Amino acid sequence: MKTLSKIALALGLSALAASAMAQPKPENFVKQRQSAFALIGWYFSPMAAVARGEQPFNKADAEARTARLVTLASMPWEGFAPGTENVGNTKAKPEIWSQQAKFKAAADKMQEEMGKLAALAKAGDEAGFKKQFGVVGGTCKACHDDFRNK
Ligand code: HEC
């Protein structure tokens, strides 16, 4: 009994802490998503030169970048919380909130293709990697065209 009530107390407290934490300011949601995307750009964009054949393919580098990118690709979406459209310096279009299924599909597609890119890096498949880099880039562009202001 003693243990049970301790557990209940612990659960009650952590539920409280969680609901207190679930109320960041709207501008912090914008920071969350912009920071996640900034990191995605940081690890992704330099590989364009490899895909174009201007820099040699380096398996270890491609693997390290895509491992981070797979994790990062899961992160920006929680930053698009309700009520965070038109906040601060956001470039997010209001259509994200009015066409949520379409936005989610674009987010899922990017993550799926990023997973394939990571697998190709791991396999050391240079030709496949270069081709897939373009596919992933296309998923970024598709969403930016529809859902991001210039
Ligand atoms: C499902 C939609 C979607 C996908 C997929 C997507 N983006 Fe974005 N991206 C956005 C939106 C929306 C913003 C603007 C966020 C804001 O300003 O609140 C953004 C912003 C950015 C920014 C600017 C961040 C900043 O500093 O403010 C970069 C860089 C970026 N994206 C890179 C990428 C790359 C690289 C990919 C693909 C690997 C990608 N994005 C995929 C929707 C997407």
Side-chain angles (χ1 to χ4, degrees):
M1 267 319 260
K2 233 178 168 183
T3 315
L4 264 183
S5 58
K6 265 189 198 156
I7 290 169
L9 188 66
L11 284 176
L13 283 178
S14 64
L16 254 183
S19 66
M21 284 195 306
Q23 317 281 343
K25 293 185 189 135
E27 49 271 36
N28 287 342
F29 281 96
V30 176
K31 253 189 220 160
Q32 191 276 352
R33 66 204 190 210
Q34 289 181 343
S35 304
F37 282 125
L39 285 170
I40 290 171
W42 173 265
Y43 289 109
F44 185 74
S45 304
M47 295 191 292
V50 175
R52 285 194 301 261
E54 294 164 8
Q55 265 177 37
F57 174 78
N58 177 316
K59 181 177 184 285
D61 181 72
E63 248 188 293
R65 284 178 187 275
T66 52
R68 288 184 174 148
L69 281 162
V70 164
T71 303
L72 287 167
S74 71
M75 291 183 178
W77 323 117
E78 68 202 64
F80 294 94
T84 63
E85 51 266 62
N86 307 318
V87 173
N89 67 349
T90 188
K91 289 190 175 162
K93 286 190 182 171
E95 282 79 1
I96 290 169
W97 288 268
S98 61
Q99 301 173 19
Q100 282 185 16
K102 190 179 169 193
F103 182 71
K104 186 177 184 302
D108 288 349
K109 181 78 180 149
M110 187 271 271
Q111 291 175 88
E112 187 192 324
E113 299 299 345
M114 192 69 89
K116 289 184 199 164
L117 188 67
L120 289 161
K122 217 170 178 180
D125 180 347
E126 179 175 345
F129 180 87
K130 288 177 173 174
K131 196 165 166 241
Q132 182 64 14
F133 180 88
V135 174
V136 177
T139 67
C140 313
K141 186 178 184 301
C143 186
H144 291 165
D145 287 350
D146 287 343
F147 293 110
R148 187 176 72 161
N149 286 316
K150 292 260 160 358

mmCIF file of all heavy atoms in Angstrom, residues 30 33-35 37-38 40-41 44-45 77 80 89-93 96 103 106-107 110 114 136-137 139-140 143-144 147-148, ligand 1:
data_model
loop_
_atom_site.group_PDB
_atom_site.id
_atom_site.type_symbol
_atom_site.label_atom_id
_atom_site.label_comp_id
_atom_site.label_asym_id
_atom_site.label_seq_id
_atom_site.Cartn_x
_atom_site.Cartn_y
_atom_site.Cartn_z
ATOM 1 N N VAL A 30 7.763 28.640 -32.406
ATOM 2 C CA VAL A 30 8.359 29.087 -33.665
ATOM 3 C C VAL A 30 9.870 28.845 -33.625
ATOM 4 O O VAL A 30 10.468 28.346 -34.584
ATOM 5 C CB VAL A 30 8.048 30.580 -33.926
ATOM 6 C CG1 VAL A 30 8.753 31.072 -35.187
ATOM 7 C CG2 VAL A 30 6.540 30.781 -34.050
ATOM 8 N N ARG A 33 10.668 25.062 -34.140
ATOM 9 C CA ARG A 33 10.623 24.526 -35.510
ATOM 10 C C ARG A 33 11.712 25.142 -36.386
ATOM 11 O O ARG A 33 12.328 24.462 -37.198
ATOM 12 C CB ARG A 33 9.220 24.681 -36.119
ATOM 13 C CG ARG A 33 8.755 26.105 -36.368
ATOM 14 C CD ARG A 33 7.246 26.185 -36.406
ATOM 15 N NE ARG A 33 6.747 27.476 -36.874
ATOM 16 C CZ ARG A 33 5.591 28.009 -36.484
ATOM 17 N NH1 ARG A 33 4.822 27.369 -35.612
ATOM 18 N NH2 ARG A 33 5.196 29.162 -36.973
ATOM 19 N N GLN A 34 11.975 26.451 -36.203
ATOM 20 C CA GLN A 34 13.010 27.083 -37.021
ATOM 21 C C GLN A 34 14.391 26.522 -36.675
ATOM 22 O O GLN A 34 15.231 26.338 -37.559
ATOM 23 C CB GLN A 34 12.982 28.608 -36.833
ATOM 24 C CG GLN A 34 11.747 29.242 -37.472
ATOM 25 C CD GLN A 34 11.694 30.757 -37.318
ATOM 26 O OE1 GLN A 34 12.397 31.330 -36.477
ATOM 27 N NE2 GLN A 34 10.866 31.407 -38.112
ATOM 28 N N SER A 35 14.622 26.247 -35.388
ATOM 29 C CA SER A 35 15.912 25.680 -34.977
ATOM 30 C C SER A 35 16.096 24.284 -35.565
ATOM 31 O O SER A 35 17.179 23.940 -36.049
ATOM 32 C CB SER A 35 15.999 25.588 -33.456
ATOM 33 O OG SER A 35 15.780 26.836 -32.866
ATOM 34 N N PHE A 37 14.718 23.071 -38.268
ATOM 35 C CA PHE A 37 14.970 23.194 -39.714
ATOM 36 C C PHE A 37 16.371 23.748 -39.990
ATOM 37 O O PHE A 37 17.018 23.343 -40.954
ATOM 38 C CB PHE A 37 13.923 24.097 -40.381
ATOM 39 C CG PHE A 37 12.601 23.427 -40.628
ATOM 40 C CD1 PHE A 37 11.424 23.973 -40.143
ATOM 41 C CD2 PHE A 37 12.523 22.250 -41.367
ATOM 42 C CE1 PHE A 37 10.195 23.366 -40.382
ATOM 43 C CE2 PHE A 37 11.299 21.637 -41.605
ATOM 44 C CZ PHE A 37 10.126 22.201 -41.113
ATOM 45 N N ALA A 38 16.830 24.673 -39.165
ATOM 46 C CA ALA A 38 18.177 25.228 -39.375
ATOM 47 C C ALA A 38 19.215 24.110 -39.270
ATOM 48 O O ALA A 38 20.155 24.044 -40.071
ATOM 49 C CB ALA A 38 18.462 26.335 -38.367
ATOM 50 N N ILE A 40 18.591 20.887 -39.774
ATOM 51 C CA ILE A 40 18.384 20.010 -40.935
ATOM 52 C C ILE A 40 19.149 20.587 -42.133
ATOM 53 O O ILE A 40 19.867 19.868 -42.829
ATOM 54 C CB ILE A 40 16.876 19.850 -41.253
ATOM 55 C CG1 ILE A 40 16.204 19.009 -40.161
ATOM 56 C CG2 ILE A 40 16.661 19.226 -42.628
ATOM 57 C CD1 ILE A 40 14.679 18.962 -40.234
ATOM 58 N N GLY A 41 19.042 21.879 -42.339
ATOM 59 C CA GLY A 41 19.770 22.525 -43.446
ATOM 60 C C GLY A 41 21.280 22.402 -43.268
ATOM 61 O O GLY A 41 22.012 22.135 -44.219
ATOM 62 N N PHE A 44 22.220 18.772 -44.064
ATOM 63 C CA PHE A 44 21.770 18.269 -45.371
ATOM 64 C C PHE A 44 22.436 19.008 -46.550
ATOM 65 O O PHE A 44 22.993 18.369 -47.445
ATOM 66 C CB PHE A 44 20.237 18.397 -45.471
ATOM 67 C CG PHE A 44 19.653 17.806 -46.727
ATOM 68 C CD1 PHE A 44 19.563 16.419 -46.877
ATOM 69 C CD2 PHE A 44 19.179 18.615 -47.741
ATOM 70 C CE1 PHE A 44 19.024 15.863 -48.031
ATOM 71 C CE2 PHE A 44 18.638 18.067 -48.898
ATOM 72 C CZ PHE A 44 18.560 16.691 -49.042
ATOM 73 N N SER A 45 22.390 20.335 -46.511
ATOM 74 C CA SER A 45 22.785 21.132 -47.687
ATOM 75 C C SER A 45 24.211 20.889 -48.182
ATOM 76 O O SER A 45 24.425 20.840 -49.398
ATOM 77 C CB SER A 45 22.564 22.616 -47.410
ATOM 78 O OG SER A 45 21.211 22.807 -47.049
ATOM 79 N N TRP A 77 7.941 19.153 -36.343
ATOM 80 C CA TRP A 77 6.466 19.092 -36.455
ATOM 81 C C TRP A 77 5.749 19.508 -35.181
ATOM 82 O O TRP A 77 4.690 20.119 -35.225
ATOM 83 C CB TRP A 77 6.051 17.712 -36.957
ATOM 84 C CG TRP A 77 7.038 17.216 -37.962
ATOM 85 C CD1 TRP A 77 7.835 16.109 -37.872
ATOM 86 C CD2 TRP A 77 7.425 17.868 -39.191
ATOM 87 N NE1 TRP A 77 8.676 16.035 -38.959
ATOM 88 C CE2 TRP A 77 8.459 17.086 -39.780
ATOM 89 C CE3 TRP A 77 7.007 19.032 -39.847
ATOM 90 C CZ2 TRP A 77 9.070 17.440 -40.991
ATOM 91 C CZ3 TRP A 77 7.619 19.379 -41.051
ATOM 92 C CH2 TRP A 77 8.624 18.589 -41.605
ATOM 93 N N PHE A 80 4.687 23.148 -34.768
ATOM 94 C CA PHE A 80 3.544 23.741 -35.476
ATOM 95 C C PHE A 80 2.270 23.566 -34.654
ATOM 96 O O PHE A 80 1.255 23.062 -35.140
ATOM 97 C CB PHE A 80 3.396 23.107 -36.868
ATOM 98 C CG PHE A 80 4.545 23.424 -37.784
ATOM 99 C CD1 PHE A 80 5.629 22.572 -37.913
ATOM 100 C CD2 PHE A 80 4.551 24.611 -38.515
ATOM 101 C CE1 PHE A 80 6.701 22.879 -38.754
ATOM 102 C CE2 PHE A 80 5.618 24.926 -39.366
ATOM 103 C CZ PHE A 80 6.693 24.061 -39.476
ATOM 104 N N ASN A 89 8.544 36.106 -36.403
ATOM 105 C CA ASN A 89 9.097 36.199 -37.765
ATOM 106 C C ASN A 89 8.850 34.926 -38.573
ATOM 107 O O ASN A 89 9.600 34.601 -39.481
ATOM 108 C CB ASN A 89 10.601 36.480 -37.692
ATOM 109 C CG ASN A 89 11.375 35.294 -37.098
ATOM 110 O OD1 ASN A 89 10.771 34.363 -36.567
ATOM 111 N ND2 ASN A 89 12.685 35.315 -37.192
ATOM 112 N N THR A 90 7.809 34.192 -38.234
ATOM 113 C CA THR A 90 7.587 32.906 -38.909
ATOM 114 C C THR A 90 7.310 33.070 -40.398
ATOM 115 O O THR A 90 6.693 34.046 -40.824
ATOM 116 C CB THR A 90 6.426 32.121 -38.262
ATOM 117 O OG1 THR A 90 6.395 30.810 -38.838
ATOM 118 C CG2 THR A 90 5.079 32.788 -38.483
ATOM 119 N N LYS A 91 7.805 32.084 -41.160
ATOM 120 C CA LYS A 91 7.498 32.033 -42.588
ATOM 121 C C LYS A 91 6.469 30.948 -42.873
ATOM 122 O O LYS A 91 6.171 30.647 -44.031
ATOM 123 C CB LYS A 91 8.777 31.771 -43.375
ATOM 124 C CG LYS A 91 9.696 32.984 -43.350
ATOM 125 C CD LYS A 91 10.853 32.832 -44.316
ATOM 126 C CE LYS A 91 11.661 34.124 -44.336
ATOM 127 N NZ LYS A 91 12.994 33.934 -44.893
ATOM 128 N N ALA A 92 5.955 30.341 -41.827
ATOM 129 C CA ALA A 92 4.968 29.286 -42.007
ATOM 130 C C ALA A 92 3.661 29.872 -42.540
ATOM 131 O O ALA A 92 3.160 30.865 -42.019
ATOM 132 C CB ALA A 92 4.721 28.580 -40.681
ATOM 133 N N LYS A 93 3.130 29.245 -43.592
ATOM 134 C CA LYS A 93 1.847 29.719 -44.145
ATOM 135 C C LYS A 93 0.679 29.207 -43.310
ATOM 136 O O LYS A 93 0.735 28.076 -42.806
ATOM 137 C CB LYS A 93 1.682 29.211 -45.582
ATOM 138 C CG LYS A 93 2.544 29.930 -46.597
ATOM 139 C CD LYS A 93 2.122 29.523 -47.999
ATOM 140 C CE LYS A 93 3.005 30.179 -49.040
ATOM 141 N NZ LYS A 93 2.755 29.638 -50.390
ATOM 142 N N ILE A 96 -0.818 25.543 -43.317
ATOM 143 C CA ILE A 96 -0.353 24.405 -42.498
ATOM 144 C C ILE A 96 -1.440 23.984 -41.523
ATOM 145 O O ILE A 96 -1.657 22.800 -41.289
ATOM 146 C CB ILE A 96 0.941 24.792 -41.739
ATOM 147 C CG1 ILE A 96 2.093 24.933 -42.727
ATOM 148 C CG2 ILE A 96 1.282 23.769 -40.640
ATOM 149 C CD1 ILE A 96 3.351 25.568 -42.149
ATOM 150 N N PHE A 103 -0.208 18.719 -45.031
ATOM 151 C CA PHE A 103 1.065 19.096 -44.424
ATOM 152 C C PHE A 103 1.733 17.873 -43.794
ATOM 153 O O PHE A 103 2.927 17.626 -43.970
ATOM 154 C CB PHE A 103 0.838 20.191 -43.371
ATOM 155 C CG PHE A 103 2.109 20.679 -42.715
ATOM 156 C CD1 PHE A 103 3.024 21.452 -43.427
ATOM 157 C CD2 PHE A 103 2.399 20.370 -41.394
ATOM 158 C CE1 PHE A 103 4.201 21.904 -42.836
ATOM 159 C CE2 PHE A 103 3.570 20.816 -40.783
ATOM 160 C CZ PHE A 103 4.472 21.592 -41.509
ATOM 161 N N ALA A 106 3.255 15.609 -46.329
ATOM 162 C CA ALA A 106 4.539 16.137 -46.833
ATOM 163 C C ALA A 106 5.655 15.901 -45.818
ATOM 164 O O ALA A 106 6.792 15.581 -46.186
ATOM 165 C CB ALA A 106 4.391 17.626 -47.147
ATOM 166 N N ALA A 107 5.331 16.034 -44.543
ATOM 167 C CA ALA A 107 6.320 15.795 -43.482
ATOM 168 C C ALA A 107 6.702 14.310 -43.434
ATOM 169 O O ALA A 107 7.882 13.966 -43.322
ATOM 170 C CB ALA A 107 5.753 16.245 -42.132
ATOM 171 N N MET A 110 8.988 13.320 -46.408
ATOM 172 C CA MET A 110 10.383 13.725 -46.226
ATOM 173 C C MET A 110 11.108 12.750 -45.306
ATOM 174 O O MET A 110 12.220 12.301 -45.583
ATOM 175 C CB MET A 110 10.449 15.153 -45.682
ATOM 176 C CG MET A 110 11.849 15.733 -45.622
ATOM 177 S SD MET A 110 12.693 15.394 -44.068
ATOM 178 C CE MET A 110 12.177 16.801 -43.098
ATOM 179 N N MET A 114 14.213 10.392 -46.265
ATOM 180 C CA MET A 114 15.448 10.598 -45.498
ATOM 181 C C MET A 114 15.936 9.268 -44.942
ATOM 182 O O MET A 114 17.139 9.004 -44.924
ATOM 183 C CB MET A 114 15.198 11.598 -44.362
ATOM 184 C CG MET A 114 16.469 12.087 -43.693
ATOM 185 S SD MET A 114 17.469 13.149 -44.767
ATOM 186 C CE MET A 114 16.763 14.760 -44.368
ATOM 187 N N VAL A 136 15.184 13.434 -51.805
ATOM 188 C CA VAL A 136 14.910 14.080 -50.509
ATOM 189 C C VAL A 136 14.785 15.595 -50.714
ATOM 190 O O VAL A 136 13.841 16.223 -50.209
ATOM 191 C CB VAL A 136 16.009 13.771 -49.461
ATOM 192 C CG1 VAL A 136 15.725 14.509 -48.161
ATOM 193 C CG2 VAL A 136 16.104 12.277 -49.205
ATOM 194 N N GLY A 137 15.719 16.163 -51.460
ATOM 195 C CA GLY A 137 15.662 17.610 -51.733
ATOM 196 C C GLY A 137 14.327 18.009 -52.353
ATOM 197 O O GLY A 137 13.781 19.072 -52.052
ATOM 198 N N THR A 139 11.486 16.633 -51.733
ATOM 199 C CA THR A 139 10.439 16.642 -50.691
ATOM 200 C C THR A 139 10.522 17.922 -49.857
ATOM 201 O O THR A 139 9.505 18.423 -49.390
ATOM 202 C CB THR A 139 10.514 15.401 -49.760
ATOM 203 O OG1 THR A 139 11.716 15.451 -48.976
ATOM 204 C CG2 THR A 139 10.453 14.102 -50.536
ATOM 205 N N CYS A 140 11.741 18.453 -49.668
ATOM 206 C CA CYS A 140 11.895 19.736 -48.962
ATOM 207 C C CYS A 140 11.219 20.833 -49.791
ATOM 208 O O CYS A 140 10.424 21.619 -49.289
ATOM 209 C CB CYS A 140 13.367 20.131 -48.786
ATOM 210 S SG CYS A 140 14.480 18.847 -48.192
ATOM 211 N N CYS A 143 7.330 20.891 -49.993
ATOM 212 C CA CYS A 143 6.653 21.463 -48.826
ATOM 213 C C CYS A 143 6.892 22.969 -48.744
ATOM 214 O O CYS A 143 5.983 23.725 -48.415
ATOM 215 C CB CYS A 143 7.094 20.768 -47.541
ATOM 216 S SG CYS A 143 6.139 21.346 -46.114
ATOM 217 N N HIS A 144 8.109 23.397 -49.032
ATOM 218 C CA HIS A 144 8.377 24.841 -48.982
ATOM 219 C C HIS A 144 7.516 25.593 -49.997
ATOM 220 O O HIS A 144 7.022 26.684 -49.712
ATOM 221 C CB HIS A 144 9.867 25.118 -49.242
ATOM 222 C CG HIS A 144 10.749 24.643 -48.117
ATOM 223 N ND1 HIS A 144 12.109 24.507 -48.240
ATOM 224 C CD2 HIS A 144 10.448 24.272 -46.842
ATOM 225 C CE1 HIS A 144 12.615 24.069 -47.091
ATOM 226 N NE2 HIS A 144 11.627 23.917 -46.229
ATOM 227 N N PHE A 147 3.920 25.470 -48.384
ATOM 228 C CA PHE A 147 3.628 25.843 -46.990
ATOM 229 C C PHE A 147 4.573 26.878 -46.376
ATOM 230 O O PHE A 147 4.456 27.201 -45.200
ATOM 231 C CB PHE A 147 3.628 24.587 -46.111
ATOM 232 C CG PHE A 147 2.500 23.628 -46.418
ATOM 233 C CD1 PHE A 147 2.742 22.395 -47.020
ATOM 234 C CD2 PHE A 147 1.185 23.962 -46.100
ATOM 235 C CE1 PHE A 147 1.712 21.512 -47.289
ATOM 236 C CE2 PHE A 147 0.144 23.086 -46.362
ATOM 237 C CZ PHE A 147 0.396 21.861 -46.956
ATOM 238 N N ARG A 148 5.548 27.383 -47.131
ATOM 239 C CA ARG A 148 6.474 28.356 -46.551
ATOM 240 C C ARG A 148 6.490 29.622 -47.386
ATOM 241 O O ARG A 148 6.605 29.557 -48.611
ATOM 242 C CB ARG A 148 7.899 27.775 -46.476
ATOM 243 C CG ARG A 148 8.860 28.697 -45.726
ATOM 244 C CD ARG A 148 10.233 28.070 -45.582
ATOM 245 N NE ARG A 148 10.954 28.050 -46.857
ATOM 246 C CZ ARG A 148 12.275 27.894 -46.944
ATOM 247 N NH1 ARG A 148 13.020 27.740 -45.875
ATOM 248 N NH2 ARG A 148 12.854 27.885 -48.132
HETATM 249 C C1 HEC B 1 6.272 19.373 -44.401
HETATM 250 C C2 HEC B 1 6.876 20.646 -44.687
HETATM 251 C C3 HEC B 1 8.362 20.833 -44.754
HETATM 252 C C4 HEC B 1 9.329 19.935 -45.141
HETATM 253 C C5 HEC B 1 9.167 18.513 -45.626
HETATM 254 C C6 HEC B 1 10.593 20.639 -45.033
HETATM 255 N N1 HEC B 1 10.392 21.924 -44.603
HETATM 256 FE FE1 HEC B 1 11.849 23.302 -44.273
HETATM 257 N N2 HEC B 1 10.434 24.595 -43.554
HETATM 258 C C7 HEC B 1 9.080 24.383 -43.553
HETATM 259 C C8 HEC B 1 8.402 25.533 -42.988
HETATM 260 C C9 HEC B 1 6.911 25.695 -42.836
HETATM 261 C C10 HEC B 1 9.413 26.440 -42.636
HETATM 262 C C11 HEC B 1 9.210 27.823 -41.984
HETATM 263 C C12 HEC B 1 9.142 27.676 -40.458
HETATM 264 C C13 HEC B 1 8.882 28.988 -39.728
HETATM 265 O O1 HEC B 1 9.446 30.032 -40.142
HETATM 266 O O2 HEC B 1 8.114 28.977 -38.756
HETATM 267 C C14 HEC B 1 10.691 25.819 -43.007
HETATM 268 C C15 HEC B 1 11.926 26.412 -42.812
HETATM 269 C C16 HEC B 1 13.136 25.859 -43.224
HETATM 270 C C17 HEC B 1 14.431 26.499 -43.072
HETATM 271 C C18 HEC B 1 14.682 27.874 -42.444
HETATM 272 C C19 HEC B 1 14.869 27.715 -40.935
HETATM 273 C C20 HEC B 1 15.114 29.047 -40.235
HETATM 274 O O3 HEC B 1 16.290 29.330 -39.958
HETATM 275 O O4 HEC B 1 14.154 29.791 -39.985
HETATM 276 C C21 HEC B 1 15.367 25.646 -43.590
HETATM 277 C C22 HEC B 1 16.875 25.848 -43.643
HETATM 278 C C23 HEC B 1 14.659 24.464 -44.050
HETATM 279 N N3 HEC B 1 13.308 24.633 -43.815
HETATM 280 C C24 HEC B 1 15.264 23.386 -44.632
HETATM 281 C C25 HEC B 1 14.597 22.215 -44.995
HETATM 282 C C26 HEC B 1 15.242 21.061 -45.583
HETATM 283 C C27 HEC B 1 16.711 20.954 -45.930
HETATM 284 C C28 HEC B 1 14.268 20.133 -45.773
HETATM 285 C C29 HEC B 1 14.375 18.759 -46.364
HETATM 286 C C30 HEC B 1 15.401 17.885 -45.917
HETATM 287 C C31 HEC B 1 13.019 20.716 -45.307
HETATM 288 N N4 HEC B 1 13.260 21.982 -44.857
HETATM 289 C C32 HEC B 1 11.803 20.060 -45.342
HETATM 290 C C33 HEC B 1 8.432 23.257 -43.999
HETATM 291 C C34 HEC B 1 9.049 22.093 -44.422
#
